[in-house]
Amino acid sequence: MPQAADAPEMISGGHLVAKALKAEGIDVIFTLCGGHIIDIYDGCVDEGIEVIDVRHEQVAAHAADGYARITGKPGCAVVTAGPGTTDAVTGVANAFRAESPMLLIGGQGALSQHKMGSLQDLPHVDMMTSITKFAATVPGTERVADIVSMAFRECYNGAPGPSFLEIPRDVLDASVPVAKARIPEAGRYRASTRQAGDPEAIERLADLLVHSEKPCVLLGSQVWTCRATDDAIDFVRALNVPAYMNGSGRGTLPPGDPHHFQLSRRYAFTEADLIIIVGTPFDFRMGYGKRLSKSASVVQIDLDYRTVGKNRDIDLGIVGDAGLILSAAAQAASGRVDSGAARRKEWLEELRAVEIKAYENRLSRQLSGAQPIDPYRLVHEINEFLTEDTIYIGDGGDIVTFSGQVVQPKSPGHWMDPGPLGTLGVGVAFAMAAKYARPDKEVLCLFGDGAFSLTGWDFETMVRFDLPFIGVIGNNSSMNQIRYGQAAKYGAARGRVGNTLGDVRYDEFARMLGGYGEEVRDPADIRPALERARESGKPALINVWVDPEVYAPGTMNQTMYK
Ligand SMILES: Cc1ncc(C[n+]2csc(CCOP(=O)(O)OP(=O)(O)O)c2C)c(N)n1
Ligand SMILES: [Mg+2]
């Protein structure tokens, strides 16, 4: 029916969602379709937002998490009501533990059928509240864009994290006059949440630094979240402080840098007189803070006040942005008569000697010619193969534990792992997000065969959207990290329960889906296979048969449970 000349301009809920995403700078949504959410796609068409349709909602949510990590913008996944939303729970939970800002939008039955038993109806907000920073129902069409922008604002409360919105079907599909809808404008509806830290605490940190003979700093994931790479580098160089890195903080300093250390961390934490923990919690990865020298002064810097001083006492805590705080502390300490930098030369040499010894002890394993292939050799070859422009992703159990020791990203923001939720199945999704957001980068993902199997069908999405990456499967036909613990506890005869996978040719799977694939049994073939995968320009899987009887030290001493 033609509209009267004076009829108001109308807009539907789905188009309001797209406008709010656009205002946030989002150029892609990751989604799996459902009747409840199709109006969002229509809105995305109008706003020029790409719709990447995946094969499992878990992948959509992980991809939104990965997109946020790579771009510094929030990611967005859109899933349908009920099972679409429950399938995405793992991805949201992973982003929650990893402090990754993303918005999951779930469909919902119509408000007019509230609690009547509509198709796919579930209490999504109740389910999501405990794993998000904000979870709400959009109550009316006029409010759609407003609440989407509110959800983004909430993502940046303290340490970032995910938000969830459900949009009832009638709210999404209805149209309202544009003039009645609140449509927040880009750059005008939320402020920077960066905090500079208490100036008095920064002076105290400067005091501790100038008096320290043996300081060390651990640069955690928030160093990348805060894009504090340059400030962190200036800090360690100006004050001559050895740096260790974990999580997304890996790559802050390139390997070979005089202040880059990795293998001597335990030694440093035992011998140091000052330990500065930046943007990483005292969780299982840090032995809950118990493994730090009793006599060292411990300083903790974090975006989240709840993380500071949790699980162990500290000598100084500072809440705020890693970059602002490190740069202020470096400036304050450098302004003192003697910053202490020169005095620490011997300390750095001491650590370097420990580092070199640890490297040499392992080198023969890394160069092993054994067949089946020693996992150390595989991760060594991968490390040698990475360029400054390769984003490395780890998705697996034991095989990824090996890589954590050996693989060193060459640039900041070029390391992705699930984070403290330890979620298997993030790999294809992270590769998708990384390659989409940064087509100029090479993406390499090391998978365990178990991990790949969880979400591997989305390899096809990589083919469909022409997102080449190099997938490497460390194939031991087992969930080996778990198998180790079972065999150790119950004996070899009972060690094979519930952890055995078939001998699957993942390279053939890749080829079936239109990608590149080959298998490797001889360690000498790893490098050429990686080169061919690189040259193929396709999504690729190199299926590397690794020795199932060889375990990473971290698996054997079960550090993750201690
Ligand atoms: C989603 C999920 N399910 C189960 C686990 C428990 N888990 C941790 S490591 C592991 C084995 C992984 O096997 P694979 O990916 O093949 O790596 P491998 O240990 O064999 O190298 C399992 C099942 C988990 N971390 N995440
Ligand atoms: Mg395995």
Side-chain angles (χ1 to χ4, degrees):
M1 203 171 24
Q3 283 193 345
D6 59 350
E9 192 190 340
M10 304 293 281
I11 187 162
S12 70
H15 288 73
L16 284 165
V17 169
K19 281 198 180 301
L21 298 181
K22 186 81 176 184
E24 196 63 38
I26 289 173
D27 54 10
V28 62
I29 60 167
F30 301 94
T31 186
L32 197 155
C33 64
H36 294 80
I37 53 173
I38 52 177
D39 199 54
I40 297 176
Y41 298 171
D42 199 57
C44 286
V45 173
D46 274 359
E47 299 298 331
I49 297 172
E50 180 143 24
V51 175
I52 295 196
D53 44 330
V54 298
R55 290 172 169 269
H56 193 294
E57 288 89 351
Q58 181 183 347
V59 172
H62 285 320
D65 170 355
Y67 178 88
R69 299 186 196 199
I70 291 286
T71 62
K73 298 188 275 191
C76 182
V78 178
V79 298
T80 197
T85 299
T86 57
D87 273 358
V89 163
T90 300
V92 174
N94 192 70
F96 186 63
R97 287 291 305 269
E99 302 179 344
S100 184
M102 59 163 284
L103 172 64
L104 179 75
I105 298 178
Q108 177 58 294
L111 274 185
S112 60
Q113 292 160 349
H114 187 51
K115 297 208 181 289
M116 288 174 67
S118 68
L119 174 69
Q120 294 169 230
D121 183 22
L122 274 181
H124 303 134
V125 173
D126 292 349
M127 287 163 31
M128 290 291 184
T129 296
S130 58
I131 54 165
T132 52
K133 298 179 80 72
F134 177 77
T137 306
V138 179
T141 309
E142 294 87 351
R143 300 284 313 284
V144 168
D146 180 33
I147 296 206
V148 170
S149 63
M150 189 183 288
F152 285 126
R153 204 178 291 122
E154 296 284 351
C155 285
Y156 293 94
N157 169 14
S163 288
F164 170 76
L165 288 179
E166 64 171 16
I167 312 185
R169 192 181 166 146
D170 44 2
V171 170
L172 193 76
D173 285 347
S175 288
V176 294
V178 173
K180 281 202 169 167
R182 163 150 163 73
I183 309 179
E185 248 179 69
R188 296 188 56 198
Y189 58 86
R190 65 179 179 87
S192 162
T193 55
R194 292 175 82 202
Q195 290 179 38
D198 180 344
E200 269 177 40
I202 286 168
E203 286 300 322
R204 278 184 59 203
L205 174 54
D207 285 342
L208 288 168
L209 279 161
V210 297
H211 293 115
S212 165
E213 305 279 329
K214 298 183 167 191
C216 67
V217 63
L218 176 62
L219 303 171
S221 292
Q222 288 179 9
V223 172
W224 175 244
T225 306
C226 297
R227 298 301 189 267
T229 305
D230 291 346
D231 295 319
I233 293 175
D234 290 349
F235 175 90
V236 300
R237 289 194 182 148
L239 299 172
N240 205 17
V241 177
Y244 297 84
M245 288 152 269
N246 80 358
S248 308
R250 284 175 178 247
T252 303
L253 290 158
D257 186 285
H259 293 96
H260 175 295
F261 291 86
Q262 184 181 13
L263 302 175
S264 54
R265 190 174 104 166
R266 185 167 287 233
Y267 181 89
F269 281 175
T270 317
E271 298 296 318
D273 60 14
L274 173 63
I275 302 172
I276 305 168
I277 306 292
V278 187
T280 192
F282 291 122
D283 63 14
F284 70 97
R285 296 168 299 179
M286 287 286 295
Y288 305 97
K290 283 187 289 225
R291 295 189 207 121
L292 308 183
S293 161
K294 294 258 183 303
S295 56
S297 297
V298 175
V299 178
Q300 195 178 13
I301 299 169
D302 205 278
L303 286 166
D304 189 342
Y305 73 92
R306 293 170 304 181
T307 298
V308 176
K310 185 164 129 178
N311 298 340
R312 65 155 291 142
D313 285 1
I314 49 171
D315 296 280
L316 175 64
I318 313 180
V319 175
D321 179 272
L324 294 176
I325 292 167
L326 289 176
S327 116
Q331 211 180 356
S334 303
R336 305 290 168 89
V337 179
D338 174 8
S339 75
R343 254 181 293 135
R344 302 197 262 264
K345 188 166 166 282
E346 276 172 31
W347 167 234
L348 265 84
E349 284 167 2
E350 184 181 336
L351 292 176
R352 187 60 65 198
V354 175
E355 191 90 6
I356 290 171
K357 193 155 179 274
Y359 178 76
E360 284 171 353
N361 281 348
R362 224 181 37 206
L363 193 59
S364 61
R365 290 283 303 277
Q366 290 184 206
L367 300 175
S368 160
Q371 286 192 44
I373 293 169
D374 187 324
Y376 266 124
R377 175 70 185 265
L378 173 58
V379 295
H380 172 81
E381 294 289 342
I382 290 173
N383 187 44
E384 298 286 305
F385 181 74
L386 296 184
T387 72
E388 283 182 358
D389 286 312
T390 313
I391 296 172
Y392 173 81
I393 301 163
D395 179 17
D398 196 44
I399 190 70
V400 168
T401 306
F402 278 106
S403 84
Q405 292 172 44
V406 174
V407 174
Q408 297 183 334
K410 316 294 181 246
S411 305
H414 285 52
W415 172 281
M416 298 177 83
D417 64 33
L421 197 66
T423 313
L424 298 178
V426 297
V428 174
F430 281 5
M432 187 182 297
K435 191 64 189 176
Y436 181 82
R438 296 300 305 268
D440 54 318
K441 296 285 178 186
E442 177 173 82
V443 176
L444 187 148
C445 183
L446 174 62
F447 299 96
D449 52 328
F452 178 80
S453 309
L454 283 168
T455 49
W457 270 107
D458 268 293
F459 185 90
E460 189 277 331
T461 309
M462 304 294 285
V463 174
R464 194 161 20 99
F465 282 87
D466 190 20
L467 298 170
F469 79 109
I470 303 166
V472 181
I473 308 233
N475 194 344
N476 47 27
S477 308
S478 307
M479 303 280 198
N480 235 23
Q481 190 152 57
I482 307 307
R483 185 166 81 92
Y484 179 83
Q486 290 174 277
K489 191 168 177 190
Y490 304 107
R494 288 171 169 259
R496 261 287 173 206
V497 180
N499 53 36
T500 303
L501 303 162
D503 294 337
V504 177
R505 290 284 303 271
Y506 295 95
D507 51 316
E508 289 186 358
F509 178 75
R511 286 205 296 273
M512 178 186 86
L513 296 175
Y516 180 81
E518 60 176 294
E519 71 168 343
V520 173
R521 290 185 187 277
D522 181 340
D525 292 336
I526 298 173
R527 176 78 192 209
L530 289 172
E531 307 271 4
R532 286 189 288 271
R534 178 178 273 164
E535 280 153 26
S536 77
K538 292 180 179 179
L541 288 181
I542 306 297
N543 186 44
V544 181
W545 296 102
V546 293
D547 191 342
E549 303 309 326
V550 176
Y551 301 93
T555 297
M556 289 194 282
N557 59 32
Q558 301 271 290
T559 40
M560 60 291 233
Y561 302 119
K562 284 180 181 161

